[in-house]
Amino acid sequence: MPIIEVDNLTYYYPGSSKPALANISLNVEKGDFLLITGPSGSGKSTLVRTFNGLIPHLFGGRFEGKVLVKGKDTRYCSVAELSKTVGIVFQDPENQILTLSVEREIAFGLENLGLPRKVIRERMEKVLKDLNIVHLRERIPIELSVGEQQKVIVASIIAMMPEVLVFDEPTAHMDPLSALKFLELVHELNKRGYTVVVVEHRLDLVAKYANKIIILNNGRIVVKGEPRNILPSDIAEECGVDVPRYIRFFKRISNLAKISRYPISDEEAAETLKEVLGYGRSY
Ligand SMILES: Nc1ncnc2c1ncn2[C@@H]1O[C@H](COP(=O)(O)OP(=O)(O)O)[C@@H](O)[C@H]1O
Ligand SMILES: [Mg+2]
């Protein structure tokens, strides 16, 4: 059974006559790293809001089709209950920060779950260590860098032990190096067993970690599959996705140089170039 199953979902925000999502069907399986991308306004945030029931419970609107989380129809589960399975990290950490210390921030959700103090302490110590933020424990979250704030939010979510971690443009306010490091952390979490869904534009940094990609445009899935197969397609470029430069490069020269497969990372791009130039071959 998929962890998240979206079945022919069409959704209108209250008062809107245009659907923000139209006929969406997808599955998120255990262990997946699903990358969702697409131009601004294409429905990415709307889609992830359906994964923990914020849509329809908080936003209202017209909701057709269904979303199942571990087989349960989200229309009949509370956001609190769904959040035990699906934790979401939104784009602007400031809007998600609720307290005045990193420790309090992590304890907050656990206290709401009604866990005993001892368990809260244990989980706190574990996530501080796991995310390498022990040194931040007494800091005031809003005074941290965006990258550190995002880590604190991830820590507060992981402490609640969800199975799926969803990130909605987590690196939007980060410089390139912080974004790279943050996406490495997301990859690491996926390797440690979390199922991951990431909405991201920086495909050059993240596509190599994903086993599935979905491109949204105008509330519809235009294409889905493996990043290596999808990103070189014309449709990806046509709908304004930021296709990694090395893929565009090999596409441009594809009539001159046949390659066995498109690269999906800088490292692979270097190997592909060597192959094309005839290096690394033994004569
Ligand atoms: N809270 C809201 N109320 C009404 N319309 C919204 C709301 N949030 C987003 N929309 C609309 O839904 C569409 C999809 O938006 P969104 O999911 O935020 O796209 P993305 O995350 O891909 O940029 C857009 O047309 C946007 O204007
Ligand atoms: Mg968005």
Side-chain angles (χ1 to χ4, degrees):
M1 179 174 63
I3 299 198
I4 300 176
E5 189 175 351
V6 180
D7 183 13
N8 203 19
L9 173 68
T10 295
Y11 173 71
Y12 298 78
Y13 281 103
S16 173
S17 56
K18 183 176 172 274
L21 297 173
N23 306 105
I24 301 281
S25 293
L26 63 91
N27 284 347
V28 181
E29 309 283 345
K30 191 169 172 47
D32 269 352
F33 190 125
L34 168 65
L35 171 59
I36 301 175
T37 197
S40 178
S42 58
K44 303 180 296 297
S45 297
T46 305
L47 179 58
V48 301
R49 283 177 196 139
T50 70
F51 293 169
N52 71 348
L54 287 175
I55 289 177
H57 296 300
L58 224 75
F59 283 83
R62 201 165 112 211
F63 187 94
E64 294 161 6
K66 59 187 175 197
V67 177
L68 305 177
V69 172
K70 290 180 88 174
K72 288 193 190 153
D73 191 321
T74 58
R75 285 172 299 180
Y76 311 117
C77 299
S78 66
V79 174
E81 193 186 339
L82 293 164
S83 301
K84 287 183 193 162
T85 305
V86 182
I88 306 188
V89 179
F90 292 99
Q91 183 169 340
D92 298 310
E94 294 140 353
N95 297 342
Q96 234 174 329
I97 284 170
L98 303 166
T99 67
L100 286 172
S101 90
V102 168
E103 287 197 338
R104 298 279 330 127
E105 194 62 38
I106 295 167
F108 186 84
L110 300 174
E111 285 165 1
N112 282 344
L113 292 180
L115 294 171
R117 289 227 68 79
K118 183 169 169 283
V119 176
I120 294 181
R121 278 255 63 94
E122 284 165 4
R123 291 214 199 163
M124 166 107 64
E125 295 310 319
K126 183 160 186 336
V127 293
L128 286 169
K129 262 197 226 120
D130 282 356
L131 291 180
N132 257 322
I133 52 169
V134 176
H135 58 292
L136 301 180
R137 66 191 310 153
E138 280 164 14
R139 297 282 301 278
I140 300 175
I142 47 168
E143 290 179 357
L144 301 173
S145 72
V146 178
E148 289 169 335
Q149 286 179 358
Q150 285 293 45
K151 276 197 190 177
V152 171
I153 291 169
V154 177
S156 67
I157 288 173
I158 286 181
M160 303 212 270
M161 299 182 154
E163 291 173 46
V164 187
L165 297 173
V166 181
F167 299 86
D168 188 359
E169 297 198 40
T171 69
H173 305 297
M174 291 183 203
D175 59 76
L177 184 60
S178 310
L180 181 124
K181 293 239 178 299
F182 190 82
L183 293 168
E184 275 175 1
L185 170 68
V186 174
H187 171 56
E188 188 56 41
L189 291 168
N190 180 237
K191 283 201 302 189
R192 281 187 220 161
Y194 287 97
T195 301
V196 163
V197 178
V198 183
V199 175
E200 190 50 76
H201 290 293
R202 303 193 197 217
L203 303 185
D204 55 334
L205 300 182
V206 75
K208 62 185 165 197
Y209 300 138
N211 64 326
K212 291 181 183 168
I213 184 171
I214 284 176
I215 300 181
L216 284 181
N217 201 7
N218 275 323
R220 293 174 188 276
I221 294 180
V222 284
V223 62
K224 63 180 164 186
E226 268 184 63
R228 191 190 297 283
N229 300 331
I230 299 301
L231 290 175
S233 68
D234 290 338
I235 186 125
E237 258 184 276
E238 278 159 18
C239 59
V241 167
D242 191 12
V243 176
R245 199 165 289 182
Y246 44 79
I247 292 183
R248 282 185 279 149
F249 170 76
F250 284 108
K251 257 181 93 172
R252 296 292 174 277
I253 64 162
S254 61
N255 55 342
L256 300 173
K258 287 275 162 273
I259 57 171
S260 45
R261 57 174 195 171
Y262 277 95
I264 198 71
S265 64
D266 291 349
E267 295 75 18
E268 283 190 20
E271 288 308 313
T272 309
L273 187 60
K274 282 190 209 160
E275 182 189 315
V276 166
L277 295 176
Y279 294 139
R281 237 189 253 154
S282 48
Y283 291 96

